[in-house]
Amino acid sequence: MEAQAINPHFSTTLNSINPNFLAKIFPRSPTRVSCKSPNLSFVPQFGTSLKKGVSLRSSCFVKAKMGCDGGDELGEGVGRKKLAVFVSGGGSNFRSIHEAILDGRINGDIAVLVASKAECGGANYARKKGIPVIVFPKTKSGSEGLSPHDLANALRKCKVDNILLAGYLKLIPAELIRAYPKSILNIHPSLLPSFGGKDYYGMKVHRAVIASGVRYSGPTIHFVDEHYDTGRILAQRVVPVLPTDTAEELAARVLQEEHQVYVEIAAALCEERIIWREDGVPLIRSKDDPDKYS
Ligand code: GRF
């Protein structure tokens, strides 16, 4: 069955049902979702209809546990979400998300900025904008920074629904991942699973991309698990890698896409438009057409 053929009522109803209950009614085996995508472009763009590329048999979508309480399927009537953004550097993604919030493009607010360095560009920008800053993890001297336990408590106190990592270089502790299941996103500047992992950060990523000879690169947004860059992929954008590119030129081209895609995804997250396919792949439901996913 094609995605377009899903009965909207059926889909709406599923989305408002407790996932545990759904698991009982739809046992794993007969409810497979299969992807046959001969006609799909290399990377589907946001909002692309899945009708040609994806066939859904006995479809069963389960709404993501995004930390808040319900709302309808397009995000209308959904309460504003509270976000925590984590940075280690300049924070240009953080700024573009903050600007989109001020413009009304994202149904949420940044409750707190978490920085691995108290004096980084992102932290300084947050202070100027009146956004509280937490330093995490503890500095080597121990004079600043919270423990994982205290961080989780602080985020709970701020009533944070979702966490967006935006250039945060430290590994997220398991305690925080357990406290925020399916609620933490990261942006990485390559097309994962290529050029990801502990040693791939900053210009190293772009140098490796150029050296490999691949012709395309671009940002990936993924859910965060206990390892670097291995969580479920939610969105990707593609840019060309040109024959004369330096790492800096490629980084700038990728970063431009990052600013757009992270805002779009943060908007979808805050409107509760992230849907989990039965096999564990997260999809984004289009705002304009609830039968379209990307
Ligand atoms: C971005 O390239 C992002 O993909 C990576 O770190 C960089 C952060 O840039 N995770 P900025 O601090 O948002 O400018």
Side-chain angles (χ1 to χ4, degrees):
M1 182 171 61
E2 294 179 340
Q4 235 191 0
I6 300 170
N7 177 332
H9 174 70
F10 180 60
S11 165
T12 306
T13 310
L14 285 183
N15 282 333
S16 56
I17 293 176
N18 178 331
N20 295 333
F21 179 61
L22 278 178
K24 274 188 204 146
I25 338 174
F26 294 102
R28 282 195 157 272
S29 49
T31 52
R32 281 256 175 82
V33 178
S34 71
C35 294
K36 298 174 195 156
S37 54
N39 300 326
L40 271 189
S41 60
F42 175 44
V43 175
Q45 295 299 300
F46 184 80
T48 299
S49 166
L50 299 184
K51 65 185 173 188
K52 282 190 183 154
V54 178
S55 79
L56 303 164
R57 269 182 266 134
S58 304
S59 58
C60 171
F61 289 108
V62 179
K63 190 173 194 169
K65 277 193 212 154
M66 284 303 173
C68 264
D69 37 318
D72 70 27
E73 63 182 321
L74 284 181
E76 289 148 19
V78 173
R80 279 181 88 75
K81 302 294 185 224
K82 286 186 191 262
L83 305 171
V85 180
F86 284 41
V87 303
S88 291
S92 69
N93 278 288
F94 162 48
R95 287 170 205 221
S96 70
I97 290 168
H98 184 243
E99 281 161 14
I101 285 173
L102 297 181
D103 288 356
R105 283 176 284 151
I106 296 175
N107 179 38
D109 296 296
I110 299 174
V112 60
L113 181 90
V114 176
S116 60
K117 294 176 210 145
E119 289 309 320
C120 66
N124 291 335
Y125 173 85
R127 288 187 199 101
K128 266 192 222 143
K129 299 291 173 185
I131 298 168
V133 176
I134 291 177
V135 176
F136 177 82
K138 264 191 191 316
T139 52
K140 275 190 188 136
S141 67
S143 60
E144 259 186 300
L146 298 185
S147 68
H149 183 71
D150 289 344
L151 176 66
N153 280 341
L155 297 182
R156 259 185 234 118
K157 261 198 178 156
C158 296
K159 300 206 162 62
V160 165
D161 298 303
N162 291 102
I163 296 171
L164 305 177
L165 309 187
Y168 186 74
L169 294 176
K170 306 282 183 187
L171 196 63
I172 298 300
E175 179 166 355
L176 199 59
I177 290 167
R178 281 195 300 271
Y180 281 91
K182 290 182 171 175
S183 304
I184 309 177
L185 291 176
N186 179 44
I187 188 158
H188 181 80
S190 76
L191 294 170
L192 292 174
S194 296
F195 311 106
K198 189 175 184 323
D199 295 327
Y200 286 103
Y201 59 88
M203 283 303 148
K204 284 188 183 184
V205 176
H206 304 293
R207 275 189 221 114
V209 166
I210 291 169
S212 76
V214 294
R215 298 320 203 244
Y216 295 96
S217 188
T220 299
I221 293 180
H222 63 93
F223 282 90
V224 172
D225 61 17
E226 299 82 356
H227 310 285
Y228 284 105
D229 305 327
T230 56
R232 288 291 192 170
I233 291 172
L234 177 61
Q236 294 184 309
R237 292 291 182 275
V238 181
V239 302
V241 180
L242 303 178
T244 56
D245 266 347
T246 62
E248 288 73 17
E249 286 166 341
L250 178 59
R253 198 175 303 126
V254 171
L255 193 61
Q256 214 177 340
E257 288 296 318
E258 290 188 31
H259 294 161
Q260 290 179 24
V261 69
Y262 220 175
V263 165
E264 285 173 18
I265 295 306
L269 189 61
C270 291
E271 290 166 13
E272 300 186 356
R273 287 188 285 109
I274 312 289
I275 307 295
W276 291 80
R277 204 169 61 186
E278 199 212 24
D279 61 358
V281 171
L283 301 174
I284 304 142
R285 177 176 285 165
S286 158
K287 187 173 179 139
D288 303 323
D289 183 345
D291 290 331
K292 286 186 179 170
Y293 303 87
S294 58

